[in-house]
Amino acid sequence: MDKFTVLTGIAAPLPEENIDTDKIIPARFLKTTKRSGLGEHAFDSMRYLPDGSENPDFVLNQEPYRKSEILITLDNLGCGSSREHAPWALLDFGIRCVIAPSFADIFHNNCFKNGILPIVLPRAVCEELMEDARMGGNARITIDLPRQVVVRPDGSEVPFDVDPLRKHLLLEGLDDIGQTLQHEQSIETFEKRRAQAQPWIPGIVLD
């Protein structure tokens, strides 16, 4: 998992509530267990017209938001199905931070596990940040995780809260597997001692 420290990028305003995980990545694209390739279908039903062409009215099809790394939206982002493919799709598109007044719990947790920083801010603040984002590519927003602030284009700062452990894991780029591998030496030592205490004999099952 890539480390998350300070991110300065283009923010896409998406002023909608209750964007569920099926909108983020429709169920028909969940046949893969890979985390790559899903970005093409992120927000598929909103991003493409019935004939497969791009919907010119959807923000991520517009310049400069095609290269957005930050998504700002409204209440209850990620509701519905618990599919982990939703943050996979966002990450594969290029989104590293999502800002909203509230998130569905499982989606919120899955974001952290996949290197995306979900930031909860009051609705009024989210609406102000969306106005900043509408100014285009020159109005970049900075997410400073070590200091826990969102820096607006005018230089003003908005503080945000984040769980200390989750902050540490993002800063170090540690997912569940990465956390386990930090104890690799201890695990190997334990397994060696267990094997010596109870040797395995082919054809015999030891209780």
Side-chain angles (χ1 to χ4, degrees):
M1 191 171 79
D2 291 337
K3 294 181 179 181
F4 191 118
T5 52
V6 178
L7 169 67
T8 299
I10 296 170
L14 187 57
E16 293 196 26
E17 299 177 349
N18 303 313
I19 298 176
D20 62 32
T21 53
D22 193 58
K23 281 189 176 180
I24 297 173
I25 183 69
R28 63 184 180 276
F29 301 115
L30 304 187
K31 298 176 183 178
T32 179
T33 57
K34 296 181 180 179
R35 301 188 185 193
S36 59
L38 291 172
E40 179 182 356
H41 302 293
F43 300 104
D44 193 271
S45 62
M46 305 168 74
R47 197 166 151 199
Y48 301 105
L49 298 174
D51 64 1
S53 61
E54 288 188 347
N55 176 4
D57 296 327
F58 186 60
V59 64
L60 296 180
N61 290 334
Q62 301 168 2
E63 296 295 345
Y65 306 111
R66 290 178 181 274
K67 298 180 180 178
S68 295
E69 296 176 272
I70 303 163
L71 181 67
I72 309 170
T73 185
L74 296 177
D75 300 85
N76 202 25
L77 178 62
C79 55
S81 165
S82 61
R83 66 193 66 166
E84 195 170 1
H85 295 70
W88 292 359
L90 293 177
L91 190 64
D92 194 56
F93 180 85
I95 300 295
R96 291 297 313 276
C97 176
V98 284
I99 302 174
S102 62
F103 296 87
D105 287 343
I106 295 176
F107 175 78
H108 185 261
N109 292 336
N110 284 338
C111 282
F112 279 109
K113 289 183 177 182
N114 288 280
I116 297 175
L117 172 62
I119 296 176
V120 176
L121 292 174
R123 183 179 176 119
V125 176
C126 290
E127 291 174 344
E128 290 176 0
L129 291 174
M130 279 191 269
E131 285 302 313
D132 290 342
R134 290 188 181 100
M135 291 190 289
N138 292 327
R140 293 175 181 259
I141 291 174
T142 295
I143 311 298
D144 189 326
L145 179 56
R147 297 197 300 125
Q148 295 181 211
V149 293
V150 177
V151 184
R152 299 176 63 181
D154 64 2
S156 61
E157 297 182 348
V158 180
F160 62 86
D161 293 325
V162 61
D163 176 81
L165 175 59
R166 287 173 164 170
K167 175 180 178 179
H168 167 74
L169 296 176
L170 282 176
L171 289 172
E172 296 299 321
L174 295 172
D175 57 12
D176 289 345
I177 295 174
Q179 293 178 65
T180 301
L181 290 177
Q182 287 190 308
H183 306 284
E184 183 176 11
Q185 186 59 53
S186 297
I187 294 170
E188 289 181 356
T189 299
F190 171 81
E191 290 296 336
K192 286 179 181 177
R193 288 176 179 171
R194 187 172 68 88
Q196 291 169 356
Q198 189 177 22
W200 179 75
I201 302 173
I204 298 178
V205 177
L206 300 177
D207 294 329

